[in-house]
Structures are given as C-alpha cells and as structure tokens.
Amino acid sequence: MRAAGFVIHLTRAERRRALVADLQRLSPVPVTVLAAVDGALLDEAAVEAVYQPHDLLEPHYPFAISRGEIGCFLSHRKAWQAILDSGADAGLVFEDDVVIDPEVFPRAVEAVLGWMGRGDWIEFQTRPVDGPVIHRDGAFRIVEPQVPPFRLSAQLIGADAAARMLAVTERFDRPVDGVLQLLGVTEQRILCVDPSGVRDGTAAAGGTTIQAKGTPLLAELTKSWHRSAYRRAIRAHVAKARARLDQRDRRPLR
C-alpha cells in the first residue's frame, strides 16, 4: 500500500509552524504542506456554494457552524482531492496541531498500511478508543468505535474512501467530523488504531483557530441541551446504519 502524506496548515497560524516542521521530520510518510482554506477570508458567495444550514442531512444538526469550521471542512476536502491527485493508494492526513510519538506512531502506520485497503478510513485519535476489534498486529488494534469520534487530528484514508467522501460532501450542514459520523449518509466505516502515537498539541500551539470563545451562560446551557439530544440521535442513526451495512460487508472480527 503506497501512501502520500499531507498536513493541513493555516498560513496565519504562525505558532503552529514548529509543529508542522516536526511532522515533516518525524512522519514515516513524506509530508506535503497543504495551505488550509481560511474561513475568515471566504465571501458570502463562497459560503453559500457549499454550506446549506437547513434540511440537508438527517439527523438535523441544531447549530450554525462558523466560518472557521467551513474553512476546516473545505481544507479536508482539499486534502481528499490531493490524495486522488497524488495517485497513491492512501493518504496520511494531519491537522497542524498534532504531535506524534516518534517511537509509536511509525509502527502504528506500518500496522495499518499492512492491512488496510483503498476503501478504508483509519483514524489516529488523541485519546484511547474502544470498540470491537477488527484486526490485530502485535501491540496494535484496529477497532470500530460505537460512534465515530470527533477530531480529525490524523488519519490514513484510502483513495476510494477519499473519492467517496468528496462525492457526498459537495454541500454540507455541519462540521467535517460531524458528517463522518453519518454512517447512513456516507456508508464509510470509520475505524481507529490503538495505540495511535498521536497527541493534541493545540494548547502549546496557541489554542484553536476554529471555535469562538466567550459564549454567554444561558446560550451555553441551551447549546448543551441541544448537544445531548443530537448525540442521542446520532447514536440511533449509526446503530441503524451499521446494522444495514453489517448485512452487506461486515468483516469478521479477529
């Protein structure tokens, strides 16, 4: 399995340049820097061309998303296209706030590349992930979590999976990791490798470049209620979609 590497980097995020340099130095796959789409620079026409905030996908997403989240989504689409343009079988895609363990991460990548196919999507999460074991390779497990987790810090994406996600995300109504949870829409199983050898470097790099800060208490409480209801809807959605896909293409657990 031949892989190309990419790191999505927002040019104005100067404090993250050292993390990007470390990724290029330590990654077991040569890494190209992709200039992230800066949501702050998008005009209304560009936003309206891709963002449809109402009645697009189910379950309904109860929040508006920020310009930063729109830029983030477009940046990941740019990475998926870069995988296809590279001609590689898969792409190793990093966000620019990632720190990798130089001992664990290369071995995790080797374990994944030795097993995955062009239609697979394997995430390297910053926290331990549990779920049914799909494959074992020494100390590494590839698992399928009950619900695909948030965060796209690092992932190995098969070329066919990248093409599939490009096809279903020409328009979107929620952040990119939220769409990846919609198994019934994407029909793309999201798997995770554990241990991943990846940790979050956001705080050291100056904090998030996406989320707004300083939300009033009442608004935050209302958002928390909607978030809980949405999570319940997502769990039900994924369970129903997985039962259908299990009948079609379930891999045997081992």
PDB file of all heavy atoms in Angstrom, residues 224-252:
ATOM      1  N   SER A 224     -25.902  23.082  25.289  1.00  0.00           N
ATOM      2  CA  SER A 224     -25.612  21.804  25.916  1.00  0.00           C
ATOM      3  C   SER A 224     -26.815  20.862  25.808  1.00  0.00           C
ATOM      4  O   SER A 224     -26.655  19.657  25.550  1.00  0.00           O
ATOM      5  CB  SER A 224     -25.238  22.021  27.386  1.00  0.00           C
ATOM      6  OG  SER A 224     -24.980  20.800  28.024  1.00  0.00           O
ATOM      7  N   TRP A 225     -28.016  21.398  25.980  1.00  0.00           N
ATOM      8  CA  TRP A 225     -29.228  20.584  25.863  1.00  0.00           C
ATOM      9  C   TRP A 225     -29.372  20.058  24.438  1.00  0.00           C
ATOM     10  O   TRP A 225     -29.630  18.871  24.211  1.00  0.00           O
ATOM     11  CB  TRP A 225     -30.455  21.402  26.249  1.00  0.00           C
ATOM     12  CG  TRP A 225     -31.712  20.583  26.259  1.00  0.00           C
ATOM     13  CD1 TRP A 225     -32.230  19.860  27.284  1.00  0.00           C
ATOM     14  CD2 TRP A 225     -32.612  20.399  25.144  1.00  0.00           C
ATOM     15  NE1 TRP A 225     -33.388  19.226  26.891  1.00  0.00           N
ATOM     16  CE2 TRP A 225     -33.648  19.540  25.598  1.00  0.00           C
ATOM     17  CE3 TRP A 225     -32.640  20.879  23.835  1.00  0.00           C
ATOM     18  CZ2 TRP A 225     -34.706  19.148  24.763  1.00  0.00           C
ATOM     19  CZ3 TRP A 225     -33.680  20.488  23.000  1.00  0.00           C
ATOM     20  CH2 TRP A 225     -34.697  19.645  23.463  1.00  0.00           C
ATOM     21  N   HIS A 226     -29.209  20.934  23.469  1.00  0.00           N
ATOM     22  CA  HIS A 226     -29.304  20.515  22.069  1.00  0.00           C
ATOM     23  C   HIS A 226     -28.217  19.503  21.727  1.00  0.00           C
ATOM     24  O   HIS A 226     -28.458  18.553  20.960  1.00  0.00           O
ATOM     25  CB  HIS A 226     -29.180  21.723  21.143  1.00  0.00           C
ATOM     26  CG  HIS A 226     -30.427  22.550  21.046  1.00  0.00           C
ATOM     27  ND1 HIS A 226     -31.618  22.053  20.565  1.00  0.00           N
ATOM     28  CD2 HIS A 226     -30.673  23.848  21.376  1.00  0.00           C
ATOM     29  CE1 HIS A 226     -32.547  22.995  20.586  1.00  0.00           C
ATOM     30  NE2 HIS A 226     -31.995  24.086  21.082  1.00  0.00           N
ATOM     31  N   ARG A 227     -27.028  19.689  22.292  1.00  0.00           N
ATOM     32  CA  ARG A 227     -25.926  18.774  22.013  1.00  0.00           C
ATOM     33  C   ARG A 227     -26.256  17.370  22.512  1.00  0.00           C
ATOM     34  O   ARG A 227     -25.988  16.380  21.824  1.00  0.00           O
ATOM     35  CB  ARG A 227     -24.645  19.299  22.667  1.00  0.00           C
ATOM     36  CG  ARG A 227     -23.401  18.499  22.295  1.00  0.00           C
ATOM     37  CD  ARG A 227     -22.177  19.029  23.006  1.00  0.00           C
ATOM     38  NE  ARG A 227     -21.837  20.377  22.595  1.00  0.00           N
ATOM     39  CZ  ARG A 227     -21.878  21.444  23.398  1.00  0.00           C
ATOM     40  NH1 ARG A 227     -22.262  21.313  24.665  1.00  0.00           N
ATOM     41  NH2 ARG A 227     -21.557  22.636  22.945  1.00  0.00           N
ATOM     42  N   SER A 228     -26.840  17.277  23.722  1.00  0.00           N
ATOM     43  CA  SER A 228     -27.193  15.969  24.274  1.00  0.00           C
ATOM     44  C   SER A 228     -28.241  15.274  23.415  1.00  0.00           C
ATOM     45  O   SER A 228     -28.146  14.071  23.139  1.00  0.00           O
ATOM     46  CB  SER A 228     -27.714  16.134  25.709  1.00  0.00           C
ATOM     47  OG  SER A 228     -26.703  16.620  26.560  1.00  0.00           O
ATOM     48  N   ALA A 229     -29.257  16.029  22.983  1.00  0.00           N
ATOM     49  CA  ALA A 229     -30.294  15.449  22.135  1.00  0.00           C
ATOM     50  C   ALA A 229     -29.707  14.996  20.801  1.00  0.00           C
ATOM     51  O   ALA A 229     -30.071  13.939  20.271  1.00  0.00           O
ATOM     52  CB  ALA A 229     -31.413  16.468  21.918  1.00  0.00           C
ATOM     53  N   TYR A 230     -28.808  15.788  20.278  1.00  0.00           N
ATOM     54  CA  TYR A 230     -28.185  15.450  18.993  1.00  0.00           C
ATOM     55  C   TYR A 230     -27.336  14.182  19.124  1.00  0.00           C
ATOM     56  O   TYR A 230     -27.361  13.316  18.241  1.00  0.00           O
ATOM     57  CB  TYR A 230     -27.327  16.621  18.512  1.00  0.00           C
ATOM     58  CG  TYR A 230     -26.592  16.356  17.220  1.00  0.00           C
ATOM     59  CD1 TYR A 230     -27.281  16.240  16.025  1.00  0.00           C
ATOM     60  CD2 TYR A 230     -25.205  16.222  17.205  1.00  0.00           C
ATOM     61  CE1 TYR A 230     -26.606  15.989  14.831  1.00  0.00           C
ATOM     62  CE2 TYR A 230     -24.530  15.977  16.013  1.00  0.00           C
ATOM     63  CZ  TYR A 230     -25.235  15.867  14.831  1.00  0.00           C
ATOM     64  OH  TYR A 230     -24.574  15.618  13.665  1.00  0.00           O
ATOM     65  N   ARG A 231     -26.597  14.052  20.211  1.00  0.00           N
ATOM     66  CA  ARG A 231     -25.780  12.858  20.403  1.00  0.00           C
ATOM     67  C   ARG A 231     -26.642  11.605  20.466  1.00  0.00           C
ATOM     68  O   ARG A 231     -26.273  10.557  19.942  1.00  0.00           O
ATOM     69  CB  ARG A 231     -24.941  13.003  21.675  1.00  0.00           C
ATOM     70  CG  ARG A 231     -23.755  13.945  21.510  1.00  0.00           C
ATOM     71  CD  ARG A 231     -23.054  14.181  22.829  1.00  0.00           C
ATOM     72  NE  ARG A 231     -21.885  15.011  22.653  1.00  0.00           N
ATOM     73  CZ  ARG A 231     -21.223  15.598  23.653  1.00  0.00           C
ATOM     74  NH1 ARG A 231     -21.638  15.432  24.909  1.00  0.00           N
ATOM     75  NH2 ARG A 231     -20.159  16.349  23.407  1.00  0.00           N
ATOM     76  N   ARG A 232     -27.806  11.697  21.122  1.00  0.00           N
ATOM     77  CA  ARG A 232     -28.716  10.545  21.160  1.00  0.00           C
ATOM     78  C   ARG A 232     -29.192  10.191  19.757  1.00  0.00           C
ATOM     79  O   ARG A 232     -29.264   9.009  19.384  1.00  0.00           O
ATOM     80  CB  ARG A 232     -29.913  10.844  22.077  1.00  0.00           C
ATOM     81  CG  ARG A 232     -29.556  10.925  23.555  1.00  0.00           C
ATOM     82  CD  ARG A 232     -30.797  10.896  24.425  1.00  0.00           C
ATOM     83  NE  ARG A 232     -31.653  12.051  24.203  1.00  0.00           N
ATOM     84  CZ  ARG A 232     -31.533  13.212  24.851  1.00  0.00           C
ATOM     85  NH1 ARG A 232     -30.572  13.360  25.752  1.00  0.00           N
ATOM     86  NH2 ARG A 232     -32.364  14.199  24.606  1.00  0.00           N
ATOM     87  N   ALA A 233     -29.511  11.213  18.969  1.00  0.00           N
ATOM     88  CA  ALA A 233     -29.962  10.970  17.598  1.00  0.00           C
ATOM     89  C   ALA A 233     -28.859  10.346  16.754  1.00  0.00           C
ATOM     90  O   ALA A 233     -29.122   9.459  15.928  1.00  0.00           O
ATOM     91  CB  ALA A 233     -30.446  12.279  16.977  1.00  0.00           C
ATOM     92  N   ILE A 234     -27.627  10.795  16.952  1.00  0.00           N
ATOM     93  CA  ILE A 234     -26.505  10.237  16.203  1.00  0.00           C
ATOM     94  C   ILE A 234     -26.285   8.770  16.570  1.00  0.00           C
ATOM     95  O   ILE A 234     -26.055   7.921  15.691  1.00  0.00           O
ATOM     96  CB  ILE A 234     -25.223  11.055  16.440  1.00  0.00           C
ATOM     97  CG1 ILE A 234     -25.286  12.378  15.686  1.00  0.00           C
ATOM     98  CG2 ILE A 234     -23.982  10.275  16.039  1.00  0.00           C
ATOM     99  CD1 ILE A 234     -25.246  12.232  14.177  1.00  0.00           C
ATOM    100  N   ARG A 235     -26.357   8.442  17.859  1.00  0.00           N
ATOM    101  CA  ARG A 235     -26.176   7.044  18.257  1.00  0.00           C
ATOM    102  C   ARG A 235     -27.224   6.150  17.598  1.00  0.00           C
ATOM    103  O   ARG A 235     -26.914   5.052  17.116  1.00  0.00           O
ATOM    104  CB  ARG A 235     -26.232   6.923  19.778  1.00  0.00           C
ATOM    105  CG  ARG A 235     -24.976   7.436  20.479  1.00  0.00           C
ATOM    106  CD  ARG A 235     -24.929   6.968  21.921  1.00  0.00           C
ATOM    107  NE  ARG A 235     -25.998   7.553  22.726  1.00  0.00           N
ATOM    108  CZ  ARG A 235     -25.892   8.699  23.388  1.00  0.00           C
ATOM    109  NH1 ARG A 235     -24.758   9.377  23.354  1.00  0.00           N
ATOM    110  NH2 ARG A 235     -26.891   9.167  24.103  1.00  0.00           N
ATOM    111  N   ALA A 236     -28.466   6.623  17.563  1.00  0.00           N
ATOM    112  CA  ALA A 236     -29.527   5.839  16.923  1.00  0.00           C
ATOM    113  C   ALA A 236     -29.289   5.716  15.424  1.00  0.00           C
ATOM    114  O   ALA A 236     -29.483   4.641  14.829  1.00  0.00           O
ATOM    115  CB  ALA A 236     -30.886   6.488  17.201  1.00  0.00           C
ATOM    116  N   HIS A 237     -28.866   6.811  14.805  1.00  0.00           N
ATOM    117  CA  HIS A 237     -28.586   6.808  13.361  1.00  0.00           C
ATOM    118  C   HIS A 237     -27.484   5.803  13.026  1.00  0.00           C
ATOM    119  O   HIS A 237     -27.622   5.008  12.087  1.00  0.00           O
ATOM    120  CB  HIS A 237     -28.168   8.216  12.926  1.00  0.00           C
ATOM    121  CG  HIS A 237     -27.590   8.285  11.549  1.00  0.00           C
ATOM    122  ND1 HIS A 237     -28.340   8.559  10.430  1.00  0.00           N
ATOM    123  CD2 HIS A 237     -26.308   8.102  11.096  1.00  0.00           C
ATOM    124  CE1 HIS A 237     -27.567   8.535   9.362  1.00  0.00           C
ATOM    125  NE2 HIS A 237     -26.333   8.274   9.739  1.00  0.00           N
ATOM    126  N   VAL A 238     -26.392   5.850  13.779  1.00  0.00           N
ATOM    127  CA  VAL A 238     -25.258   4.973  13.494  1.00  0.00           C
ATOM    128  C   VAL A 238     -25.636   3.513  13.720  1.00  0.00           C
ATOM    129  O   VAL A 238     -25.280   2.633  12.918  1.00  0.00           O
ATOM    130  CB  VAL A 238     -24.039   5.364  14.347  1.00  0.00           C
ATOM    131  CG1 VAL A 238     -22.910   4.351  14.174  1.00  0.00           C
ATOM    132  CG2 VAL A 238     -23.548   6.757  13.974  1.00  0.00           C
ATOM    133  N   ALA A 239     -26.378   3.237  14.796  1.00  0.00           N
ATOM    134  CA  ALA A 239     -26.769   1.855  15.079  1.00  0.00           C
ATOM    135  C   ALA A 239     -27.623   1.289  13.950  1.00  0.00           C
ATOM    136  O   ALA A 239     -27.416   0.150  13.509  1.00  0.00           O
ATOM    137  CB  ALA A 239     -27.531   1.796  16.399  1.00  0.00           C
ATOM    138  N   LYS A 240     -28.560   2.071  13.447  1.00  0.00           N
ATOM    139  CA  LYS A 240     -29.423   1.613  12.355  1.00  0.00           C
ATOM    140  C   LYS A 240     -28.613   1.403  11.076  1.00  0.00           C
ATOM    141  O   LYS A 240     -28.762   0.392  10.390  1.00  0.00           O
ATOM    142  CB  LYS A 240     -30.530   2.631  12.118  1.00  0.00           C
ATOM    143  CG  LYS A 240     -31.511   2.233  11.039  1.00  0.00           C
ATOM    144  CD  LYS A 240     -32.620   3.278  10.899  1.00  0.00           C
ATOM    145  CE  LYS A 240     -33.600   2.887   9.790  1.00  0.00           C
ATOM    146  NZ  LYS A 240     -34.692   3.904   9.655  1.00  0.00           N
ATOM    147  N   ALA A 241     -27.736   2.368  10.763  1.00  0.00           N
ATOM    148  CA  ALA A 241     -26.931   2.258   9.540  1.00  0.00           C
ATOM    149  C   ALA A 241     -25.963   1.093   9.625  1.00  0.00           C
ATOM    150  O   ALA A 241     -25.756   0.369   8.641  1.00  0.00           O
ATOM    151  CB  ALA A 241     -26.187   3.564   9.297  1.00  0.00           C
ATOM    152  N   ARG A 242     -25.361   0.886  10.798  1.00  0.00           N
ATOM    153  CA  ARG A 242     -24.393  -0.204  10.921  1.00  0.00           C
ATOM    154  C   ARG A 242     -25.073  -1.554  10.781  1.00  0.00           C
ATOM    155  O   ARG A 242     -24.515  -2.482  10.160  1.00  0.00           O
ATOM    156  CB  ARG A 242     -23.663  -0.106  12.257  1.00  0.00           C
ATOM    157  CG  ARG A 242     -22.620  -1.210  12.436  1.00  0.00           C
ATOM    158  CD  ARG A 242     -21.716  -0.973  13.617  1.00  0.00           C
ATOM    159  NE  ARG A 242     -20.800   0.121  13.364  1.00  0.00           N
ATOM    160  CZ  ARG A 242     -20.686   1.209  14.126  1.00  0.00           C
ATOM    161  NH1 ARG A 242     -21.460   1.345  15.191  1.00  0.00           N
ATOM    162  NH2 ARG A 242     -19.828   2.141  13.829  1.00  0.00           N
ATOM    163  N   ALA A 243     -26.279  -1.695  11.320  1.00  0.00           N
ATOM    164  CA  ALA A 243     -26.990  -2.966  11.179  1.00  0.00           C
ATOM    165  C   ALA A 243     -27.232  -3.283   9.706  1.00  0.00           C
ATOM    166  O   ALA A 243     -27.112  -4.441   9.278  1.00  0.00           O
ATOM    167  CB  ALA A 243     -28.315  -2.899  11.939  1.00  0.00           C
ATOM    168  N   ARG A 244     -27.549  -2.250   8.922  1.00  0.00           N
ATOM    169  CA  ARG A 244     -27.767  -2.458   7.493  1.00  0.00           C
ATOM    170  C   ARG A 244     -26.457  -2.815   6.777  1.00  0.00           C
ATOM    171  O   ARG A 244     -26.413  -3.750   5.980  1.00  0.00           O
ATOM    172  CB  ARG A 244     -28.382  -1.199   6.881  1.00  0.00           C
ATOM    173  CG  ARG A 244     -28.546  -1.266   5.364  1.00  0.00           C
ATOM    174  CD  ARG A 244     -29.338  -0.073   4.857  1.00  0.00           C
ATOM    175  NE  ARG A 244     -28.765   1.186   5.268  1.00  0.00           N
ATOM    176  CZ  ARG A 244     -27.765   1.796   4.642  1.00  0.00           C
ATOM    177  NH1 ARG A 244     -27.199   1.220   3.582  1.00  0.00           N
ATOM    178  NH2 ARG A 244     -27.313   2.962   5.055  1.00  0.00           N
ATOM    179  N   LEU A 245     -25.382  -2.081   7.091  1.00  0.00           N
ATOM    180  CA  LEU A 245     -24.103  -2.353   6.437  1.00  0.00           C
ATOM    181  C   LEU A 245     -23.508  -3.683   6.879  1.00  0.00           C
ATOM    182  O   LEU A 245     -22.800  -4.334   6.110  1.00  0.00           O
ATOM    183  CB  LEU A 245     -23.128  -1.219   6.720  1.00  0.00           C
ATOM    184  CG  LEU A 245     -23.460   0.139   6.084  1.00  0.00           C
ATOM    185  CD1 LEU A 245     -22.402   1.160   6.436  1.00  0.00           C
ATOM    186  CD2 LEU A 245     -23.615   0.018   4.581  1.00  0.00           C
ATOM    187  N   ASP A 246     -23.799  -4.085   8.126  1.00  0.00           N
ATOM    188  CA  ASP A 246     -23.281  -5.361   8.604  1.00  0.00           C
ATOM    189  C   ASP A 246     -23.787  -6.515   7.748  1.00  0.00           C
ATOM    190  O   ASP A 246     -23.083  -7.512   7.536  1.00  0.00           O
ATOM    191  CB  ASP A 246     -23.698  -5.595  10.054  1.00  0.00           C
ATOM    192  CG  ASP A 246     -22.847  -4.820  11.044  1.00  0.00           C
ATOM    193  OD1 ASP A 246     -21.835  -4.232  10.613  1.00  0.00           O
ATOM    194  OD2 ASP A 246     -23.201  -4.779  12.234  1.00  0.00           O
ATOM    195  N   GLN A 247     -25.000  -6.381   7.254  1.00  0.00           N
ATOM    196  CA  GLN A 247     -25.549  -7.427   6.409  1.00  0.00           C
ATOM    197  C   GLN A 247     -24.873  -7.444   5.048  1.00  0.00           C
ATOM    198  O   GLN A 247     -24.863  -8.456   4.358  1.00  0.00           O
ATOM    199  CB  GLN A 247     -27.062  -7.209   6.233  1.00  0.00           C
ATOM    200  CG  GLN A 247     -27.853  -7.300   7.511  1.00  0.00           C
ATOM    201  CD  GLN A 247     -27.708  -8.641   8.187  1.00  0.00           C
ATOM    202  OE1 GLN A 247     -27.782  -9.685   7.528  1.00  0.00           O
ATOM    203  NE2 GLN A 247     -27.486  -8.642   9.485  1.00  0.00           N
ATOM    204  N   ARG A 248     -24.280  -6.309   4.676  1.00  0.00           N
ATOM    205  CA  ARG A 248     -23.703  -6.190   3.342  1.00  0.00           C
ATOM    206  C   ARG A 248     -22.226  -6.552   3.297  1.00  0.00           C
ATOM    207  O   ARG A 248     -21.779  -7.316   2.448  1.00  0.00           O
ATOM    208  CB  ARG A 248     -23.888  -4.755   2.838  1.00  0.00           C
ATOM    209  CG  ARG A 248     -23.486  -4.537   1.395  1.00  0.00           C
ATOM    210  CD  ARG A 248     -23.427  -3.070   1.053  1.00  0.00           C
ATOM    211  NE  ARG A 248     -22.258  -2.439   1.679  1.00  0.00           N
ATOM    212  CZ  ARG A 248     -21.967  -1.141   1.559  1.00  0.00           C
ATOM    213  NH1 ARG A 248     -22.769  -0.350   0.879  1.00  0.00           N
ATOM    214  NH2 ARG A 248     -20.888  -0.648   2.146  1.00  0.00           N
ATOM    215  N   ASP A 249     -21.448  -6.025   4.250  1.00  0.00           N
ATOM    216  CA  ASP A 249     -19.998  -6.141   4.061  1.00  0.00           C
ATOM    217  C   ASP A 249     -19.227  -6.246   5.360  1.00  0.00           C
ATOM    218  O   ASP A 249     -18.074  -5.841   5.422  1.00  0.00           O
ATOM    219  CB  ASP A 249     -19.474  -4.943   3.266  1.00  0.00           C
ATOM    220  CG  ASP A 249     -19.730  -3.601   3.957  1.00  0.00           C
ATOM    221  OD1 ASP A 249     -20.271  -3.583   5.081  1.00  0.00           O
ATOM    222  OD2 ASP A 249     -19.387  -2.569   3.354  1.00  0.00           O
ATOM    223  N   ARG A 250     -19.817  -6.786   6.394  1.00  0.00           N
ATOM    224  CA  ARG A 250     -19.136  -6.855   7.674  1.00  0.00           C
ATOM    225  C   ARG A 250     -17.899  -7.721   7.594  1.00  0.00           C
ATOM    226  O   ARG A 250     -17.945  -8.862   7.114  1.00  0.00           O
ATOM    227  CB  ARG A 250     -20.080  -7.415   8.743  1.00  0.00           C
ATOM    228  CG  ARG A 250     -19.475  -7.535  10.119  1.00  0.00           C
ATOM    229  CD  ARG A 250     -19.241  -6.170  10.726  1.00  0.00           C
ATOM    230  NE  ARG A 250     -18.823  -6.293  12.103  1.00  0.00           N
ATOM    231  CZ  ARG A 250     -18.558  -5.251  12.896  1.00  0.00           C
ATOM    232  NH1 ARG A 250     -18.656  -4.034  12.416  1.00  0.00           N
ATOM    233  NH2 ARG A 250     -18.193  -5.413  14.129  1.00  0.00           N
ATOM    234  N   ARG A 251     -16.746  -7.217   8.037  1.00  0.00           N
ATOM    235  CA  ARG A 251     -15.546  -8.034   8.150  1.00  0.00           C
ATOM    236  C   ARG A 251     -15.662  -8.906   9.393  1.00  0.00           C
ATOM    237  O   ARG A 251     -16.171  -8.464  10.418  1.00  0.00           O
ATOM    238  CB  ARG A 251     -14.304  -7.159   8.303  1.00  0.00           C
ATOM    239  CG  ARG A 251     -13.885  -6.419   7.051  1.00  0.00           C
ATOM    240  CD  ARG A 251     -12.482  -5.872   7.312  1.00  0.00           C
ATOM    241  NE  ARG A 251     -11.960  -5.170   6.155  1.00  0.00           N
ATOM    242  CZ  ARG A 251     -12.018  -3.857   6.019  1.00  0.00           C
ATOM    243  NH1 ARG A 251     -12.595  -3.120   6.928  1.00  0.00           N
ATOM    244  NH2 ARG A 251     -11.502  -3.287   4.947  1.00  0.00           N
ATOM    245  N   PRO A 252     -15.151 -10.121   9.352  1.00  0.00           N
ATOM    246  CA  PRO A 252     -15.132 -10.935  10.573  1.00  0.00           C
ATOM    247  C   PRO A 252     -14.183 -10.340  11.602  1.00  0.00           C
ATOM    248  O   PRO A 252     -13.100  -9.870  11.263  1.00  0.00           O
ATOM    249  CB  PRO A 252     -14.628 -12.298  10.082  1.00  0.00           C
ATOM    250  CG  PRO A 252     -13.844 -11.988   8.844  1.00  0.00           C
ATOM    251  CD  PRO A 252     -14.537 -10.811   8.205  1.00  0.00           C
TER     252      PRO A 252
END
